[in-house]
Amino acid sequence: MTSRLITPKLAEQLKQYPLYSQDGKKKDAICQCVFFLGNLRWYVLEGQPEGDDFTLFAIVVGFAETEYGYASIKEMESINLEVAPNLPKIPILQDMTFKPCPIENIPDEKLQSFLSNMYDREEI
């Protein structure tokens, strides 16, 4: 599969984290990479090839609400943000400075608030 977002290095890295491999790890799940478009962030936890596409499992921050979800690389690569009529459209990009780490260590206030709401509540 040829992909602008799934580099050979990232594809190799995600072989160790196929879909469902981090189930139940909660805040200890390892974020493998981050994709972004403006204020939108995809914190990728898992991924694997599926046919001629690549499916990711990520926490998406910056839409109306933060949530876990699946993403298709083909769909992500087709998304471009138009800033102004005569300017080039902006594609989703990978944060090349990001180093894999537990999601609880990522300094993103919205992400951490989401994780606290999911996992820090006392059960009644």
Side-chain angles (χ1 to χ4, degrees):
M1 179 187 122
T2 304
S3 171
R4 177 179 60 77
L5 293 175
I6 301 295
T7 62
K9 179 182 175 184
L10 181 56
E12 188 64 31
Q13 183 180 327
L14 286 171
K15 284 182 182 178
Q16 297 176 32
Y17 294 92
L19 297 178
Y20 314 108
S21 64
Q22 297 199 73
D23 276 1
K25 290 189 176 181
K26 301 179 182 178
K27 290 182 178 185
D28 292 327
I30 305 298
C31 181
Q32 300 302 308
C33 70
V34 179
F35 293 113
F36 66 93
L37 177 63
N39 289 330
L40 298 175
R41 299 282 183 271
W42 288 262
Y43 293 101
V44 177
L45 304 176
E46 306 165 344
Q48 68 188 39
E50 293 194 338
D52 65 346
D53 200 356
F54 208 99
T55 301
L56 302 175
F57 183 68
I59 300 173
V60 185
V61 176
F63 283 118
E65 64 181 69
T66 299
E67 63 186 3
Y68 282 103
Y70 293 92
S72 155
I73 283 298
K74 281 190 169 192
E75 288 179 12
M76 289 177 72
E77 287 180 338
S78 72
I79 297 171
N80 293 293
L81 178 64
E82 186 172 339
V83 180
N86 295 323
L87 293 176
K89 293 181 179 180
I90 301 171
I92 294 174
L93 299 171
Q94 182 180 355
D95 178 352
M96 300 307 283
T97 65
F98 181 81
K99 304 283 187 250
C101 68
I103 55 174
E104 70 180 339
N105 295 345
I106 298 172
D108 179 314
E109 189 176 311
K110 288 183 180 180
L111 172 66
Q112 295 308 320
S113 176
F114 169 76
L115 294 171
S116 281
N117 286 337
M118 289 287 293
Y119 303 119
D120 294 343
R121 293 181 179 175
E122 286 187 47
E123 293 186 29
I124 298 174

